[in-house]
Amino acid sequence: MVLGLKVYHEIRQYKDDFRVWHSNYKNMSFLSHWHNEIELILVKEGSANITVDGNSYFMNKGDLLIIGSNSLHYNDSYQINNSLEFILFDPDLIIPMDLIWHKNIYFPGEFLKNNNLENTVSYTFDNISKELTALQPRYKKIVTYNLLILWHSLQRFIPEVDVSDKKIGIRKTEKALTYIKNHYHEQISLKDVADYVGLSQSHFSAVFHQFIGINFSQYIQILRIDEAIHMLQGSNRKIIDIALETGF
């Protein structure tokens, strides 16, 4: 039984720079994890009990769940029969670079049916599966187009947050991310970054978690690990040297 106690950062490997993945699984559970990609989960058969950022969704056939970038999630569907279909994709494919998608949205199958979205969802999953399998010319454009159509069709039914608050939060978070990117190899603290963006430590911590989905310390560790992995690939350098260079 998955209790969500073990947590890991999933870094998915792709064949090239086109970061879209599709798969089907039956009767599965998975441990707590998070990743940079946005994830779409469609229940094809049976039921599933999926928890995202502490909110549990008991999903049935036809239900769709959007899991935002860096949201902690796990599937506790022990002894529940199901068939689940997954799509993961890089947010940069469809979301403007000046926005950070952190929402988790649950669409019951009945809602999709009543709003003429059921066929759009089904077609998108089926066609992306075919395109990623066949890899015919211009498949990347077609997959991206399919994602855009589905994404914006669903966006019509997602309430917008207060625009002014959202823009302020985005600006502060972007400024913090730039600072962290330039200084992650140093021993920077929450206070250092909070002072840089002009917020108190508690306010900055809340804003950062709201838009990134994980806390400041977790983000720093993830960034350092990602950079260390990148530096280790195809390198003969000592691990200790890379660790020191990336701030460990």
Side-chain angles (χ1 to χ4, degrees):
M1 183 174 183
V2 177
L3 298 176
L5 297 178
K6 293 184 178 180
V7 181
Y8 67 95
H9 180 213
E10 179 181 85
I11 303 175
R12 186 168 294 280
Q13 300 297 315
Y14 296 88
K15 295 179 180 179
D16 53 31
D17 62 351
F18 189 61
R19 293 162 55 86
V20 181
W21 174 85
H22 170 276
S23 192
N24 294 278
Y25 293 98
K26 289 188 176 181
N27 305 330
M28 75 169 305
S29 292
F30 50 78
L31 297 173
S32 295
H33 68 287
W34 74 94
H35 40 67
N36 296 332
E37 297 93 337
I38 292 173
E39 182 170 356
L40 308 178
I41 302 178
L42 178 65
V43 181
K44 301 290 286 186
E45 298 290 342
S47 303
N49 185 27
I50 298 175
T51 299
V52 187
D53 289 339
N55 298 311
S56 293
Y57 304 93
F58 191 83
M59 302 173 63
N60 296 301
K61 181 179 178 180
D63 293 357
L64 175 69
L65 181 62
I66 300 177
I67 300 176
S69 179
N70 292 321
S71 291
L72 185 64
H73 56 288
Y74 64 92
N75 178 10
D76 185 5
S77 297
Y78 179 68
Q79 293 186 336
I80 299 177
N81 293 326
N82 59 49
S83 176
L84 307 179
E85 192 166 1
F86 297 82
I87 293 176
L88 273 72
F89 63 91
D90 184 347
D92 290 346
L93 278 176
I94 63 172
I95 298 174
M97 292 294 291
D98 60 341
L99 294 178
I100 302 171
W101 184 262
H102 61 279
K103 297 178 184 176
N104 306 302
I105 309 294
Y106 170 55
F107 291 96
E110 191 67 22
F111 175 88
L112 296 174
K113 183 177 181 180
N114 292 339
N115 289 281
N116 299 315
L117 292 168
E118 186 179 38
N119 290 337
T120 302
V121 172
S122 178
Y123 175 82
T124 301
F125 274 81
D126 290 346
N127 202 49
I128 286 178
S129 174
K130 293 175 183 176
E131 291 292 337
L132 292 179
T133 300
L135 301 179
Q136 293 296 310
R138 303 191 70 79
Y139 79 94
K140 295 179 181 180
K141 294 289 186 182
I142 294 172
V143 168
T144 302
Y145 175 77
N146 287 160
L147 285 171
L148 280 167
I149 292 296
L150 175 61
W151 190 257
H152 291 292
S153 296
L154 294 172
Q155 289 304 296
R156 291 175 173 172
F157 302 94
I158 298 177
E160 291 291 336
V161 299
D162 184 89
V163 174
S164 59
D165 288 346
K166 184 176 181 180
K167 285 185 176 179
I168 292 172
I170 289 171
R171 285 198 297 269
K172 295 292 186 182
T173 303
E174 287 179 336
K175 189 174 181 180
L177 291 175
T178 299
Y179 182 86
I180 293 169
K181 182 179 180 180
N182 293 331
H183 298 275
Y184 73 90
H185 55 283
E186 304 170 8
Q187 295 304 308
I188 58 174
S189 66
L190 177 69
K191 183 179 184 303
D192 293 332
V193 186
D195 288 346
Y196 180 76
V197 301
L199 296 175
S200 68
Q201 292 185 58
S202 59
H203 190 187
F204 169 68
S205 181
V207 169
F208 190 87
H209 190 277
Q210 177 188 1
F211 284 94
I212 301 301
I214 53 178
N215 66 40
F216 170 78
S217 297
Q218 290 173 322
Y219 182 82
I220 290 287
Q221 290 297 101
I222 291 168
L223 188 61
R224 288 170 174 164
I225 291 169
D226 284 351
E227 185 62 23
I229 291 172
H230 176 74
M231 294 173 69
L232 281 168
Q233 291 176 340
S235 172
N236 294 322
R237 296 178 60 188
K238 295 180 180 179
I239 293 177
I240 185 63
D241 293 337
I242 291 177
L244 291 173
E245 188 172 331
T246 52
F248 286 104

